[in-house]
Amino acid sequence: RKHQEIRAMRSQLKKIEDLGAAMEEALILDNKYTEHSTVGLAQQWDQLDQLGMRMQHNLEQQIQARNTTGVTEEALKEFSMMFKHFDKDKSGRLNHQEFKSCLRSLGYDLPMVEEGEPDPEFESILDTVDPNRDGHVSLQEYMAFMISRETENVKSSEEIESAFRALSSEGKPYVTKEELYQNLTREQADYCISHMKPYMDGKGRELPSAYDYIEFTRSLFVN
């Protein structure tokens, strides 16, 4: 909505440009009533318009990530908040040191190196977010990087299903309470038991202490 408001102001700028052209024709080249110039205003409007488009694209990218890649809204908020925290001058971009500090705050285990020493791990990240090495990482570049990294951690339903099948003796289509507690942390097992439905056999009978991991896994990915 804000971007549309900015676009609508273009007609106001056109009036100023027409007035500026009329003043030039009258050889009035010095305007003591304002420090702004027609060219300067046009450049600032263009920058604001470009910023609006970038921000809109960034938001669309985040919405798509939330809807299609499994990246949670909470994770996206955390990424954005961390960027803003390290963007001390509110420029909308981080220098390399700020970016590194931001990654560490998000849990990246980057090695500490002396100034001037090679830092291959961080350099490989910069190859993705700042390939031309202009020294800065924009919010859009940063969010795209974080979304891609987060997406890499999202496994397919088939992989999760196979992992549960490996826990289940003889690859049964259900997993028992004992198998869950033997192979997972207590918190993980508690979560599974509270969210998995009891397993029903072919005749619709409920098996004692048996849980349907296939239905559980597929319902997670549908949601």
Side-chain angles (χ1 to χ4, degrees), residues 8 12 15-16 22 28 31 46 49 61 85 109 117 128 135 141 150 153 157-158 162 168 175 179 201 204-205:
Q12 299 284 69
K15 290 179 185 176
I16 292 172
I28 303 171
N31 186 348
D46 283 337
D49 185 48
Q61 186 182 44
H85 174 74
D109 186 20
E117 284 190 5
T128 301
E141 291 166 335
E150 192 76 3
N153 296 326
S157 61
E158 288 79 13
S162 296
S168 175
V175 64
E179 287 166 341
D201 67 13
R205 294 175 301 192

Side-chain angles (χ1 to χ4, degrees), residues 5 28 50 103 207:
E5 287 176 22
I28 303 171
Q50 291 291 322
L103 291 179
L207 297 187

Side-chain angles (χ1 to χ4, degrees), residues 62-221:
Q62 291 181 51
I63 290 167
Q64 184 180 17
R66 182 196 63 190
N67 292 344
T68 63
T69 65
V71 182
T72 66
E73 197 155 354
E74 289 72 24
L76 292 169
K77 282 180 182 173
E78 185 183 13
F79 299 156
S80 183
M81 282 170 58
M82 278 298 179
F83 184 95
K84 289 173 183 174
H85 174 74
F86 286 96
D87 182 18
K88 303 294 185 189
D89 59 359
K90 310 296 182 213
S91 65
R93 56 188 194 171
L94 303 179
N95 63 37
H96 288 175
Q97 195 54 50
E98 290 168 336
F99 176 54
K100 184 185 280 188
S101 300
C102 184
L103 291 179
R104 285 202 175 111
S105 296
L106 287 165
Y108 278 71
D109 186 20
L110 294 170
M112 302 295 290
V113 297
E114 295 293 328
E115 191 173 346
E117 284 190 5
D119 190 354
E121 197 168 331
F122 185 57
E123 287 295 323
S124 69
I125 292 174
L126 290 179
D127 286 340
T128 301
V129 293
D130 187 20
N132 62 353
R133 293 298 193 276
D134 64 8
H136 293 94
V137 178
S138 70
L139 175 60
Q140 187 175 331
E141 291 166 335
Y142 160 83
M143 290 300 289
F145 170 75
M146 295 307 299
I147 288 167
S148 69
R149 282 299 172 99
E150 192 76 3
T151 305
E152 286 172 9
N153 296 326
V154 178
K155 297 183 183 296
S156 70
S157 61
E158 288 79 13
E159 287 178 287
I160 304 293
E161 210 171 285
S162 296
F164 275 118
R165 188 172 288 107
L167 300 186
S168 175
S169 60
E170 302 170 8
K172 299 186 300 294
Y174 60 86
V175 64
T176 66
K177 183 176 182 178
E178 291 72 24
E179 287 166 341
L180 288 170
Y181 280 108
Q182 283 171 7
N183 293 282
L184 304 176
T185 67
R186 183 169 187 82
E187 290 79 9
Q188 289 170 336
D190 286 344
Y191 179 86
C192 288
I193 287 169
S194 65
H195 288 78
M196 283 181 176
K197 291 180 179 178
Y199 179 77
M200 312 292 282
D201 67 13
K203 296 181 179 178
R205 294 175 301 192
E206 190 176 307
L207 297 187
S209 293
Y211 295 91
D212 189 341
Y213 65 79
I214 295 175
E215 188 278 337
F216 167 73
T217 304
R218 292 178 184 174
S219 69
L220 279 181
F221 276 80

